[in-house]
């Protein structure tokens, strides 16, 4: 069995082209920036036929060259990916093989984009995202990782090897090394991105690591938002003592260096004391509280209807809440096993709780600021003059109108949570050491970084791209929501 | 103004008290104490031995009392142990019980004794902080000017190609936490795999002697993450200012673009980023911890990790006091600076 | 250059904005000429493109805007083809511009002096000393007190009126040949506006500057300009000299515009307001042919909706042109068809009574740093009046007069400090809104000023009205409430389909109608209308005003109409209450308040209102200085700092004592120290010249 090269036969044509395009692109961008600092911006004139005049000459060329070269670059990269999917395994090298392995993800992405663009006018803010290039790129990257995570963990189809199994002889081997006993060129015949210091497949670990992020980060962010909103809206609306106390508490948490907090909270010893369970009991109660107040405010005028709706919704939420915090083997264990819907491993719970805890004060501050601004609006005054209760005004008149900035911040905050999770992994806190999550993998890989960078680099780049995707997505959303 | 600073000072002290108390409670939880006993005494101690070890050293008393002693508002304990030795908070280093001070908490300048480093916390904090100050200083020197320049250049003509290029750069850097950029930098510039080997992958030698070789990568790593954030803030603030009515006024007065940016926009645009830069300190502290761990630079952040990993209670408290102090001071500076930069709220 | 060359010659100018989806034409086929020393008024409603013309002249259309046709010649040179550098030389030195928000136009972080000195230093290359001397001179010219101190201060340390004067000074620093003023007084109070307008007029004469004066207010244009150009939906529809256009208008839109504004000189029965039907067309939904066609009374299908309509000259007048095909056929002097004169419902019982109402606030003196010392702001001082069923009581005053505070106390959003509010003889002054019973809350409702803020942007129109019904406990089931909601939409003359719409899909006037429907949801008996039409376009104002009055007639509502616009107040109210700095300075029936004897403040207020009628002659009373801050009111009579009659009262009484409220005639009270004689000697401010 041969080892794979990076690009295989496809590379003989594409590699030089890529190199040339990339080099020229870099030069063109620098040149363009330099000229833009010196040359005045062009004042386009309207031509008689209605088109606009373009700047000609060398400066015009410099202004347009990066665009053409960027397109060339994109085409070449697409060439690698499509070539990999189409060509037989092994012919297109490591890049090709990875691309082939990711085929389901590509298909899912294409379907998502095609459907979304087709119906974008009917999809509200989500649809408008597809008007912004930045937003589309961000969304594409995020969905790439979401699909990858989903297919590899739930579908079990992306990873080539088990993330924990060790194959002897592949310790710290370079990308593309063939697995010793594999017989033919097929999936699993190679460690596509090499082996780590325990001879496990780096590619499979990276792919499965995405699941750890995708399953924790959005959920934790959501809880942080629930806490932040439930406390931030009244703080901003009422002001006064309540605001002073809550703001002081928020600043208190924010003044804590995050890492110190993590080191104090996310340890096995703390898990033993049950503090995370208590914190979970408090933090997870906020969504229930929020839903109760939210629905009550809306349906208070019709007690019958309110009782039914509250009964059903809050009942379900309370059950979910109780199952969430009740955990066999911890201080909180009161639900009989039959009624307990799900259990969370204590390691994950403490990570989850501390991430929510760290994020909530920032959300609180944002929500408080938005509320302060929105409470001066006339429609709030109109609600007051018809005698609405304060909670209706807060949750139905103010909150829906703060959704734009909150959605944007939600995306950014998922990215930040991803970084926090990585930090935890990097310091070996919380998650079990063999877990394939990106932070832990980077932590393990960094010890031999100057000799074997390949185990640490893929998760690092993966994390980078996911956070970048989320940031771009947030940018696109911000841009589009401001356009109204 | 004076009253304002005084009030802020009060809030600051209250915050510091609350935070240290939280740290105190968390580190004094039973499992943590047990761990401390086993690491300090003997890993194979029986439960009873742990019990006596802890009571002999005064750990088994109410948290509030212990906290008071640490603060220096309650007299330090003196316990005649079951092993016959007399230990006391103020008796460290063989001081005769007769001459010992009654109070020896942080108010008396006694920061306690580190169980990991076997040294006075105050001394460790001082030396380690000195090391980190060097790192921070360089980071600030690199990060602040470059991010402000990037932000201003990008924001002065919104939507231009320069803006798009620079915004792309800054959005990428905000998506790159220190542990990612550090890994990439070491791989590219210091590993044998790529072979450039321009810089050192470790900054241990920088503790004695800072050179371009051993300090570039750690400084770049910390600076990069903060840079994108500040640059984006500056850009946002700059674009907002550039669309303001008074910039149009200036333009229609015939002021040249250069002077619009330099004379009219810059000062207004830098008010917001100033606050951001000051509030970056808590974040920088994180970065410093990661980078010091990654590059093996034994500064303040590295000390924090060591202390936390071994439940070194007094060391951790010392570390929290210092970091809380840093964070709150910067907040205070940011508030005062904001007032000075912004004539609209300056009061005669 | 001879005397005949125009300063500004705009020829068939077209400007478009380009969005991702389409090109939006903002200005089409616009021509105008301004001769040396001439002032041209550009009038139109919001969105008609008048500001775009100004920015086009300045060549500052932003990234999306572009001139797609025509030329703009300034002293014979085409501005569109100038290089950036040439433009810079022209801007500020030869053409200067002043716009709406004075605070936003000044750099907050730069001292006033610096900002002024910059102009001649750039354009004339003079030194700092000389520039400072010039700045001092110009600041004195704009009649600002203590110029040296002002040059040293930052913009936020000045009041709104002072800031606008500084902006004017800045524009005059290099003695430009053309001054463009884009709604320069909209953000200012009426009395301050009058002073600024006077100043602009005087300085224009002194410096010999030509002016392009952009405004939505016909009265202002009449006071300041020689010629006028009326714009509608991106096109100039009529232009000519002030006299021609005001008295011999030849375009249906101009006529409709004049008919929809109330004139204080005219009787409301003889000359009722006529609203322009329909809505302003969106820029990308303009009709074919005449843009005004769908809303025009003289519309003729097959003729007015065909092809491009060009400007045609009105024979005999001085450069008078109109963009109407039928202008020679229309009978322009025909009397307005007075719709059926609706009998006003008789005024009934006293519903609401205020007795010595006081509202004081405690404000910390130092907003940022908190701090211990607080100040008492007396927002309302001894307010007493009664309002009856079916009556319209207008509350008039400028900013800081306490009218909004009064509304808040009445609504129960704040509780009174002292005094009584009696609703049907029940005291409600101390009951906050949440403690009031549903009936009381539903009885007193409010219509808000800003139509863009009055509806919750993320709830459908129908839902918002239904919510009010739910709260007021009207209707037993959802279906009943829905039916009632649709009836309410009928009441305010909105199509029922609007129930499903989001507020952002509605125009300003439509939103205001929804706001009115919501206020009447619980069968309100007292409605506080806080400047309900001041943010609307002129043509819509009339319709909304009429609607309010019609509902009032139907529901026998007591209307408390808060406004600063005396024309509209005179048109619709039965009684008027004038407020200044928290005090009621005059109260009486409309006729009593609008004719002498006046309170000195009322007199100044009446004189300050611009009136769009060439037949009206007005006394010019320009008040000195600005309205004092409510935080820091003057001692004695609140108005004494600006009163022109003060010298008539002996012994400085005005500075020491707040005058008592005296009754002059049945139901007419004023708060003034002036002797009976002096009051009787007052002349009417507004006189209508004999025809």
């Amino acid at each position: 069995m041969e080892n794979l090269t990076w690009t295989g036969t496809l590379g003989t044509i594409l590699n030089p082209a890529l190199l040339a395009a990339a080099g020229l692109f870099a030069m063109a961008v620098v040149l363009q920036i330099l000229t833009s600092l010196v040359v005045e911006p062009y004042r386009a004139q309207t031509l008689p036929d209605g088109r606009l005049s373009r700047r000609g000459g060398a400066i015009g060329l410099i202004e347009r060259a990066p665009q053409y070269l960027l397109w060339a670059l994109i085409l070449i990269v697409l060439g690698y990916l499509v070539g990999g999917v189409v060509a037989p395994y092994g012919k297109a090298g490591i890049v090709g093989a990875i691309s082939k392995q990711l085929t389901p993800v590509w298909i899912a992405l294409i379907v998502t984009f095609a459907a979304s663009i087709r119906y974008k006018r009917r999809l509200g803010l989500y649809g408008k995202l597809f008007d912004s290039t930045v937003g589309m790129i961000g969304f594409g990257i995020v969905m790439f990782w979401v699909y990858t995570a989903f297919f590899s963990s739930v579908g079990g189809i992306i990873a080539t090897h088990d993330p924990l199994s060790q194959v002897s002889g592949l310790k710290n081997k370079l990308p593309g090394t063939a697995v010793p006993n594999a017989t033919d060129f097929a999936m699993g015949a190679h460690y596509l991105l090499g082996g780590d210091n325990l001879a496990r497949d780096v590619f499979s670990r990276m792919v499965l690591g995405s699941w750890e992020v995708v399953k924790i980060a959005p959920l934790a962010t959501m809880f942080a938002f629930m806490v932040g909103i439930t406390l931030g809206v009244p703080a901003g609306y009422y002001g006064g003592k309540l605001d002073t106390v809550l703001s002081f508490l928020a600043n208190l948490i924010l003044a804590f260096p995050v890492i110190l907090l993590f080191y104090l909270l996310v340890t096995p010893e703390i898990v033993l004391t049950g503090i995370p369970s208590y914190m979970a009991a408090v933090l997870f109660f906020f969504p229930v509280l929020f839903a109760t107040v939210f629905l009550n405010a809306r349906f208070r005028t019709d007690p019958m209807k309110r009782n039914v709706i509250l009964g059903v919704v809050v009942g379900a939420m309370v059950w979910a809440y109780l199952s969430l915090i009740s955990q066999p083997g911890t201080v909180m264990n009161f639900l009989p096993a039959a009624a307990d819907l799900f259990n969370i491993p204590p390691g994950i719970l403490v990570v989850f709780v501390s991430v929510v805890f760290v994020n909530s004060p920032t959300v609180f501050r944002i929500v408080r600021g938005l509320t302060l601004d929105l409470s001066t609006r006339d429609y709030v005054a109109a609600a007051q003059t018809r005698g609405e209760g304060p909670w209706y005004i807060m949750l139905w008149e103010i909150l829906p109108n703060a959704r734009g900035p909150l959605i944007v911040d939600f995306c950014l905050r998922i990215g930040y949570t991803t970084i926090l999770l990585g930090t935890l992994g990097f310091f070996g806190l919380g998650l079990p050491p063999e877990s394939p999550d990106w932070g832990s993998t980077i932590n393990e890989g960094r010890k031999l970084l100057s000799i074997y960078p390949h185990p640490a680099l893929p998760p690092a780049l993966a994390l980078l791209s996911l956070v970048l995707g989320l940031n771009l997505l947030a940018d696109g959303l911000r841009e589009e929501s401001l356009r109204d | 103004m004076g009253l304002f600073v005084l009030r802020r000072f009060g809030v600051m002290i209250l915050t510091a008290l609350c935070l240290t108390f939280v740290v105190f409670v968390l580190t004094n939880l039973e499992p943590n104490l047990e761990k401390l006993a086993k690491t300090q005494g003997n890993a194979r101690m029986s439960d009873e031995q742990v019990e006596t070890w802890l009571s002999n050293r005064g750990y088994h008393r109410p948290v509030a009392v212990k906290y008071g002693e640490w603060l220096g508002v309650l007299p330090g304990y003196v316990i005649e142990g079951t092993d016959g030795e007399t230990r006391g908070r103020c008796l460290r280093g063989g001081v005769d019980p007769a001459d010992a001070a009654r109070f020896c908490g942080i108010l008396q300048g006694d920061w306690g004794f580190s169980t990991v480093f076997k040294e006075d916390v105050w001394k460790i904090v001082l030396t380690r902080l000195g090391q980190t100050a060097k790192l921070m200083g360089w980071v600030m020197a690199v990060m602040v000017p470059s991010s402000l320049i990037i932000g201003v250049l990008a924001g002065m003509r919104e939507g231009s190609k320069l803006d798009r290029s620079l915004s792309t750069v800054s959005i990428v850097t905000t998506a790159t936490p220190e542990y990612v950029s550090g890994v990439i930098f070491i791989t590219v510039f210091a590993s044998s795999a790529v072979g450039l080997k321009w810089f050192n992958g470790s900054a241990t030698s920088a503790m004695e002697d800072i050179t371009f070789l051993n300090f570039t990568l750690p400084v770049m790593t910390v600076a990069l993450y903060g840079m994108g954030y500040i640059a984006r803030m500056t850009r946002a603030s700059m674009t907002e200012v550039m669309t303001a009515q008074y910039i149009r006024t200036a333009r229609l007065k015939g002021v040249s673009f250069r002077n619009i940016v330099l004379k009219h926009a810059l000062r207004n645009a830098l008010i917001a980023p100033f606050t951001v830069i000051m509030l970056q300190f808590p974040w920088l502290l994180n970065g410093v911890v990661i980078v010091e761990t990654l590059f093996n630079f034994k500064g303040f952040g590295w000390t924090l990790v060591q202390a936390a990993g071994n439940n070194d209670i007094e060391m951790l408290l010392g570390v929290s006091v210092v970091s809380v102090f840093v964070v709150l001071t910067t907040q205070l500076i940011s508030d005062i600076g904001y007032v000075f930069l912004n004539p609209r709220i300056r009061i005669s | 250059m001879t005397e005949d060359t125009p300063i500004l010659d705009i020829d068939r100018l077209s400007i478009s904005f380009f969005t991702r989806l389409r090109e939006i034409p903002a200005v089409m086929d616009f021509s105008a000429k301004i001769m040396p020393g001439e002032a041209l008024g550009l009038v139109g409603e919001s969105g008609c493109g008048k500001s775009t013309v100004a920015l086009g002249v300045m060549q500052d259309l932003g990234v999306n805007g572009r001139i797609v046709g025509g030329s703009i010649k300034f002293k014979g040179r085409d501005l569109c083809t100038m290089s950036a550098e040439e433009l810079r030389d022209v801007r500020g030195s030869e053409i200067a511009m002043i716009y709406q928000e004075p605070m936003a136009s000044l750099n907050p972080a730069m001292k006033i002096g610096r900002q002024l000195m910059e102009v001649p230093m750039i354009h004339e290359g003079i030194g700092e000393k000389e520039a400072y001397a010039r700045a001092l001179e110009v600041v004195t010219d704009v009649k600002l007190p203590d110029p040296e101190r002002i040059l040293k201060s930052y913009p936020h340390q000045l009041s709104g009126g002072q800031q606008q004067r500084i902006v004017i000074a800045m524009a005059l620093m290099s003695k430009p040949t053309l001054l463009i003023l884009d709604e320069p007084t909209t953000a200012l109070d009426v009395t301050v506006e009058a002073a600024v307008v006077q100043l602009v007029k005087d300085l224009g004469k002194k410096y010999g500057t030509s002016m392009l004066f952009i405004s939505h207010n016909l009265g202002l244009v009449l006071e300041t300009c020689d010629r006028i150009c009326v714009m509608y939906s991106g096109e100039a529809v009529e232009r000519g000299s002030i006299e021609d256009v005001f008295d011999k208008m030849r375009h249906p839109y101009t006529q409709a515009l004049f008919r929809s504004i109330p004139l204080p000189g005219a009787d409301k029965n003889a000359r009722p307001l006529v609203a322009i039907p329909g809505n302003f067309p969106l820029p990308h939904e303009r009709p074919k042919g005449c843009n005004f066609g769908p809303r025009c009374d003289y519309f003729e299908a097959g003729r007015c909706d065909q092809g491009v309509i060009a400007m045609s000259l009105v024979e005999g007048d001085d450069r008078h042109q109109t963009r109407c095909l039928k202008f020679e056929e229309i009978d322009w002097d025909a009397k307005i068809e007075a719709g059926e004169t609706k009998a006003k419902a008789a005024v009934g019982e006293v519903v609401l009574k205020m007795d010595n109402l006081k509202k004081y606030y405690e404000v910390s003196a130092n907003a940022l740093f908190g701090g211990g010392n607080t100040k008492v702001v007396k927002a309302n001082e001894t307010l007493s009046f009664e309002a009856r069923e079916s009556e319209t009581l207008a509350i008039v005053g400028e900013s800081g007069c306490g009218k909004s505070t009064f509304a808040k106390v009445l609504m129960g959003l704040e509780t009174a400090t002292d005094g009584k509010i009696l609703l049907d003889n029940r005291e409600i002054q101390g009951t906050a809104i949440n403690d009031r019973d549903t009936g009381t809350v539903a009885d007193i409702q409010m219509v808000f000023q800003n139509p863009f803020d009055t509806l919750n942007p993320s709830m459908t129109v129908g839902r918002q009205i239904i919510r009010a019904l739910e709260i007021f406990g009207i209707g037993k089931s959802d279906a009943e409430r829905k039916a009632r909601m649709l009836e309410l939409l009928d009441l305010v003359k909105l199509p029922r389909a609007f129930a499903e719409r989001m507020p952002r899909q509605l125009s300003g006037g439509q939103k205001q109608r929804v706001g009115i429907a919501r206020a009447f949801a619980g069968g309100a008996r007292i409605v506080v209308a806080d400047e309900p039409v001041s943010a609307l376009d002129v043509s819509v104002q009339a319709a909304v005003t009429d609607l309010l009055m019609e509902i009032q007639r139907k529901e026998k509502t007591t209307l408390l109409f808060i406004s600063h616009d005396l024309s509209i107040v005179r048109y619709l109210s039965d009684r008027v209450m004038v407020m200044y700095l928290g005090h009621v300075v005059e109260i009486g029936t409309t006729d009593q308040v609008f004719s002498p004897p006046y309170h000195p403040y009322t007199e100044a207020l009446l004189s300050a209102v611009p009136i769009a009628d060439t037949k009206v002659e007005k006394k010019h009373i320009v008040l000195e200085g600005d309205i004092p801050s409510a935080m820091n009111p003057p001692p004695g009579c609140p108005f004494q700092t600006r009163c022109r009659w003060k010298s008539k009262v002996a012994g400085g009484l005005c500075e020491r004592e707040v005058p008592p409220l005296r009754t002059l005639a049945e139901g007419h009270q004023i708060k003034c120290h002036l002797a009976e004689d002096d009051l009787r000697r007052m002349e009417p401010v507004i006189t209508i010249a004999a025809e």
Side-chain angles (χ1 to χ4, degrees), chain C residues 347-558:
Chain C
V347 171
E349 291 292 299
V350 172
V351 200
L352 183 75
K353 191 170 153 57
M354 298 257 167
D355 192 16
N356 269 325
L357 183 78
K358 284 184 189 161
K359 176 66 192 174
Y360 295 172
Y361 286 105
E362 278 196 2
V363 193
S364 60
N366 189 328
L368 177 71
F369 298 133
N373 47 342
T374 51
K375 253 187 173 160
V376 174
V377 174
K378 298 177 179 175
N380 282 157
E381 268 285 14
T382 57
L383 208 62
S384 305
F385 68 88
E386 11 184 83
R388 294 161 187 274
E389 193 183 75
S390 290
E391 185 184 47
T392 308
L393 173 67
I395 301 166
V396 177
E398 299 174 277
S399 56
C401 74
K403 50 191 183 183
S404 309
T405 307
F406 150 75
K408 273 188 191 157
V409 176
L410 175 60
M411 303 302 300
L413 298 180
E414 309 265 357
T415 49
T417 312
D418 195 15
K420 280 181 191 155
I421 304 177
L422 297 163
L423 173 70
D424 301 333
N425 287 323
R426 273 181 302 131
E427 289 189 20
I428 55 166
Q429 73 277 2
T431 334
I433 183 110
N434 288 326
D435 303 324
R436 292 187 180 179
D437 57 275
T438 314
T440 314
V441 172
D443 272 351
I444 312 179
Q445 280 295 298
M446 188 157 172
V447 177
F448 293 86
Q449 175 177 14
N450 185 351
F452 299 94
D453 217 28
T454 183
L455 300 183
N456 185 340
S458 39
M459 225 188 252
T460 62
V461 166
R463 179 75 224 124
Q464 305 203 29
I465 298 177
I466 290 183
R467 178 67 194 178
L469 293 172
E470 280 174 6
I471 278 291
F472 296 144
I474 290 175
K476 286 188 200 67
S477 64
D478 284 355
E480 247 175 73
R481 278 189 284 268
K482 182 147 191 252
R484 175 80 189 124
M485 179 267 289
L486 293 174
E487 280 169 34
L488 281 166
L489 284 181
D490 295 343
L491 180 71
V492 296
K493 297 180 180 154
L494 285 176
R496 289 190 163 200
F498 274 37
E500 299 305 316
R501 298 244 179 123
M502 291 309 254
R504 64 166 185 281
Q505 297 167 294
L506 271 56
S507 72
Q510 290 166 339
K511 282 183 200 170
Q512 207 58 316
R513 283 165 192 263
V514 177
I516 293 171
R518 191 177 54 187
F520 282 95
R525 290 164 55 213
I526 300 172
V527 168
V528 181
D530 184 2
E531 309 243 8
V533 295
S534 68
L536 300 176
D537 272 318
V538 183
S539 67
V540 188
Q541 278 188 5
V544 174
T545 313
D546 269 350
L547 176 75
L548 259 179
M549 290 170 67
E550 197 184 318
I551 299 179
Q552 183 193 24
R553 272 196 298 273
K554 217 181 281 175
E555 313 266 323
K556 300 199 169 165
T557 321
T558 307

Side-chain angles (χ1 to χ4, degrees), chain C residues 604-621:
Chain C
L605 208 53
L606 276 172
S607 156
V609 180
I611 299 167
D613 192 339
T614 47
K615 291 190 281 298
V616 168
E617 270 172 36
K618 219 171 57 173
K619 265 204 330 202
H620 276 275
I621 302 163

Side-chain angles (χ1 to χ4, degrees), chain C residues 156-268:
Chain C
H156 67 278
Q157 294 165 318
L158 308 182
S159 71
Q162 288 176 325
Q163 284 169 359
Q164 192 60 300
R165 281 164 197 265
I166 290 297
V167 174
I168 293 169
M170 195 151 74
L172 294 174
M173 277 302 281
S174 261
K175 307 210 161 59
T177 28
L178 177 65
L179 189 59
I180 301 177
L181 302 107
D182 188 356
E183 306 262 7
T185 55
T186 311
L188 304 176
D189 274 314
V190 193
T191 51
V192 182
E193 172 185 81
V196 169
V197 166
Q198 188 64 42
L199 178 78
V200 168
K201 253 164 68 181
D202 293 348
L203 290 177
K205 286 217 181 72
K206 179 175 172 188
Y207 288 84
T209 315
S210 305
M211 281 193 274
L212 178 60
F213 193 97
I214 296 167
S215 180
H216 66 278
N217 189 330
L218 286 165
L220 266 185
V221 171
L222 170 66
E223 278 183 21
T224 46
C225 299
D226 310 309
R227 298 181 60 76
I228 181 174
C229 174
V230 182
M231 285 187 80
Y232 180 78
S233 192
E235 289 176 331
V237 291
E238 182 167 5
R239 61 171 166 261
S241 67
I242 290 280
E243 293 76 27
D244 286 344
V245 175
F246 272 63
D247 299 336
K248 294 191 286 176
M249 58 202 70
R250 285 295 174 265
H251 194 279
Y253 174 66
T254 319
Q255 188 188 38
L257 206 56
F258 274 99
R259 286 183 177 178
S260 63
I261 51 174
L263 296 176
D267 180 24
K268 65 178 154 189

Side-chain angles (χ1 to χ4, degrees), chain B residues 21-271:
Chain B
F21 186 71
V22 170
V23 175
F24 204 87
V25 170
L26 285 176
T27 46
N28 275 285
L29 289 170
E30 197 53 41
N32 274 334
L33 290 178
E34 201 174 304
K35 183 177 161 200
L36 177 74
K38 284 186 176 166
T39 44
Q40 291 304 310
N42 178 350
R44 279 190 292 272
M45 279 199 285
S46 69
D47 284 354
E48 267 164 56
Q49 283 170 311
V50 168
E51 193 71 10
T52 26
W53 193 91
L54 288 174
S55 2
N56 282 347
R57 284 159 185 80
Y59 286 110
H60 273 168
R61 289 168 314 125
V63 176
V65 175
K66 286 189 283 183
Y67 183 67
E69 288 175 1
W70 175 80
L71 263 185
V73 291
L74 292 179
Y77 68 89
V78 179
I79 291 174
E80 189 157 344
T82 44
D83 51 358
E85 203 176 321
T86 308
R87 294 182 182 83
R89 190 177 164 83
C90 307
L91 301 184
R92 265 195 323 260
V95 180
D96 189 350
D99 321 331
R102 245 163 66 73
F103 296 92
C104 44
I106 200 152
L107 291 177
Q108 286 77 31
D110 187 343
W111 289 51
F113 188 76
S114 162
T115 46
V116 175
F117 299 101
K118 310 285 180 220
E119 221 185 324
D120 273 346
V121 168
W122 177 236
K123 278 186 198 153
I124 306 171
V125 165
L126 262 192
T127 49
R128 300 300 183 198
L129 210 55
Q131 295 293 350
T132 299
K134 285 193 276 185
L135 181 62
M136 288 278 229
W138 280 105
V139 168
M140 282 305 206
V142 172
M143 182 175 78
V144 174
S146 51
S147 53
L148 290 184
I149 290 172
I150 290 179
V152 168
L153 285 181
M156 66 184 190
R157 280 205 184 99
E158 195 184 2
S160 70
K161 298 196 169 156
L162 180 66
D163 175 21
R164 270 182 253 158
S165 315
L166 292 178
S167 294
T168 314
V169 171
S170 43
I171 206 168
V172 171
T173 65
T174 46
T176 320
E178 292 87 352
Y179 52 86
V180 169
S181 52
V183 163
I184 295 174
F185 280 151
I186 295 181
T187 309
V188 175
F189 296 116
S191 79
S192 49
V194 172
L196 285 178
K197 293 211 156 198
W198 288 351
F199 303 110
N200 290 358
S202 149
T204 317
S205 57
M207 289 191 296
E208 267 87 57
D209 175 30
I210 292 178
T211 63
F212 187 61
L213 278 187
N214 61 25
F215 222 46
T216 309
L217 289 187
V219 168
M220 284 307 294
T221 307
V222 187
L224 203 66
Y225 185 46
M227 203 161 88
Y229 187 64
I230 301 177
R232 275 162 68 79
M233 278 297 191
T234 317
R235 177 188 174 272
S237 161
M238 187 73 187
T239 48
E240 198 190 314
V241 167
M242 288 306 281
T243 52
Q245 189 88 270
Y246 57 83
I247 294 297
R248 173 173 274 176
T249 311
R251 200 164 53 228
L252 299 188
K253 270 199 282 192
V255 183
S256 66
F257 187 75
R258 225 179 76 99
N259 279 334
I260 287 179
V261 172
L262 293 178
K263 284 192 184 160
H264 287 265
L266 212 53
R267 179 161 171 198
N268 290 299
L270 289 184
I271 295 171

Side-chain angles (χ1 to χ4, degrees), chain A residues 32 63 269 419 422 450 475, chain B residues 19 35 161 176 179 192 232:
Chain A
Q32 183 199 45
E63 277 179 352
E269 287 79 25
I419 291 178
S450 22
D475 250 31
Chain B
L19 285 187
K35 183 177 161 200
K161 298 196 169 156
T176 320
Y179 52 86
S192 49
R232 275 162 68 79

